[in-house]
Amino acid sequence: MTTKSPGTSPARYRVGRRGFLGLMGLGAAAIGTPSLLAACSSGGGAVGSAGGGGAVSTGVLPNYLPIEYIAPDFPGVNGSTVGYSSIPSDLVKAFSAPPGAGSSFTAMTPLWGTIPPTEGNQYYDAVNEALGSTIRFQISDGNTYGDKLAAVLASADDVPDWVSIPTWNVPPRFTEAVEGLFEDLTPYLSGANVEKYKNLANIPTDVWKFCVFNDKLYALPFPGEVINNAIFYRKDILDGLGIADQPTDAQGLLDLAKELTSPGEQRWGCEDLWGAATMMFAVPEKWTQDDAGNLVHRIETEQYRAALEWHVALYASGAVHPDAVADKTEESKQRFESGESLIATDGVGGWHEALSRQLQSNPGYDQQAFAPIAADGGTPVLYKSAPANIFSFLRKSDDPARIEELLAVADFLAAPFGTEEYHLVNFGVEGVHYETDGDGLPVATDLAATELQPTYTFLVDPPVVNTKVQYPGFVEDYCTWMADAAQYLVDPLFYGMQISEPSRFAALDAPFEDLEKDVSRGRKSMADMDEAIETWRASGGDELRQFYQDILDAQ
């Protein structure tokens, strides 16, 4: 590949560990339970994904200056993922010289996979050489990362220079501890200050909102998708059945699921569709406001009740696969991909995962996502997903030059698709970690399986793009679907604001997941749900409501 100089050109709660791994195509694994920070071990709670500790003051967020090294084939719309239908043969060299100053830094990151050797590793050696600084990784098993993280953060002396923290591993009372442990990046990156770092300035404003704690910019982001979930269907099978029309309301989806069901042919209309129900009925992520401005929890809304009643009717129709009725969720993808069930809700990362599993043996396999559906057939409402689900922090330092060097390194790591730097960070060294096939795709070598794992990306990453050109038509299908869906996006209440809920509320919502399943399957009634909601209010729900109301009142 050749290089050229860049041109100039003026775009539910946070996803949890399981959802993130699905988006990344890393699979699912058990999550460790985070321990308390030793220095702040009482009264804490997890950082709320749709919650907030207050509005972000003017001037805190970095300016957004989009940079386009390679023009996309499918531009983003309202934050939707951009796409490239081919891998460019000519890569842009974003940095004329290594940005680092020769220093060595430690970095702690999670990994859901085999931990590579950090010494004698040609991948790390090549990237560190290009950086002009040495990053020495302390890699920990992602499944137990929360425990490891809490232990490390308990002592300021043990904190590495750069620490990756997934949102689901944020220790209790972190918003209080962050100031003592990590560098306030506001003076370096706020407003026009970020323009010194062109690739960091290329990260959209919404992503940076999730990096603000106590009205100061502390974190560097791992950007994600603005839409995390979709309702998928087996287009290849529906085409074979002569069904071309897509449902335009909730009743239409239920009717389609019933029409597709044929137990004698080992075919059912759908998997469990609770996720689809909450999307169609626009159930808020956590809190919303009524017409009078009062805070209303999602379980108290008419949308929640209507979604649950629809789900009850879906189960009563017989269209749900019997194994889904039995709550055998671990087999749902297999059932959908084998054609035993034809409609399913999944994370958007599951789309390409299914193609990778199926296309070789079944070239005609075609799953697609339904266009957004409003329950009443009107205009859909989609709540934005949190655009950052992992972020990283720089250890507090008295030496501004050290922080500036780390930010220069971060700027390199944030180089977007189409650059030499992106290619190196994501694929390693050509001829060592990958070979290029006839379509320009990097094909991993055996050594890559040993040496190359996503580690630098957990420190900071450019905006997400879809470049999965190995699946014919997929990039166009994905990006055009998301661009269409993005027109219906709205901000959840408290969007982009960090909060640490008191620990006494930690288990308040826990009973509802099982109760939703029981009501859907007819084991419990809506009267049982009403009783549970009253119990929730009396057991702390109303107190939690006031906690959030105080946040609103302070804005």
Side-chain angles (χ1 to χ4, degrees), residues 206-420:
D206 268 6
V207 180
W208 289 111
K209 289 178 182 178
F210 285 78
C211 298
V212 174
F213 295 76
N214 303 321
D215 206 25
K216 296 177 182 178
L217 185 66
Y218 276 100
L220 297 167
F222 183 117
E225 307 274 9
V226 71
I227 300 174
N228 279 343
N229 300 301
I231 308 171
F232 291 101
Y233 67 101
R234 286 293 303 276
K235 184 177 185 302
D236 52 335
I237 297 179
L238 267 65
D239 285 350
L241 295 171
I243 299 173
D245 294 338
Q246 293 200 8
T248 57
D249 57 25
Q251 184 61 48
L253 182 62
L254 194 155
D255 291 342
L256 175 60
K258 289 193 294 184
E259 180 183 356
L260 294 172
T261 300
S262 178
E265 298 177 85
Q266 285 295 298
R267 188 182 73 230
W268 281 265
C270 61
E271 291 294 308
D272 179 274
L273 294 183
W274 176 236
T278 60
M279 286 189 282
M280 291 189 297
F281 286 87
V283 179
E285 301 299 332
K286 186 164 186 175
W287 295 101
T288 188
Q289 290 177 294
D290 62 18
D291 293 339
N294 301 310
L295 276 180
V296 181
H297 194 275
R298 72 191 302 267
I299 61 175
E300 301 173 300
T301 63
E302 294 179 3
Q303 297 97 312
Y304 178 84
R305 188 177 191 89
L308 189 55
E309 290 174 340
W310 179 88
H311 209 225
V312 169
L314 177 71
Y315 269 84
S317 74
V320 181
H321 193 289
D323 286 347
V325 176
D327 203 23
K328 296 180 180 179
T329 56
E330 68 281 357
E331 300 168 4
S332 62
K333 290 180 185 291
Q334 179 180 341
R335 294 191 294 266
F336 179 76
E337 292 172 27
S338 69
E340 287 188 30
S341 56
L342 303 184
I343 303 172
T345 313
D346 198 5
V348 293
W351 196 343
H352 76 264
E353 286 182 334
L355 297 177
S356 70
R357 286 189 293 264
Q358 296 299 324
L359 285 181
Q360 187 171 359
S361 60
N362 181 10
Y365 181 91
D366 187 9
Q367 76 173 68
Q368 295 290 331
F370 284 129
I373 300 169
D376 62 0
T379 302
V381 172
L382 296 181
Y383 288 105
K384 285 183 183 177
S385 301
N389 299 293
I390 289 183
F391 32 53
S392 69
F393 300 79
L394 306 183
R395 179 178 175 173
K396 205 165 190 177
S397 175
D398 295 328
D399 183 2
R402 192 166 178 84
I403 300 301
E404 289 173 351
E405 183 176 357
L406 281 166
L407 291 175
V409 168
D411 192 45
F412 181 104
L413 298 178
F417 175 77
T419 63
E420 276 191 348

Side-chain angles (χ1 to χ4, degrees), residues 475-499:
V475 174
E476 180 176 4
D477 290 344
Y478 182 98
C479 292
T480 54
W481 164 78
M482 187 177 285
D484 172 67
Q487 67 181 302
Y488 305 114
L489 286 170
V490 298
D491 290 1
L493 192 62
F494 301 112
Y495 181 74
M497 301 179 191
Q498 299 288 358
I499 186 169

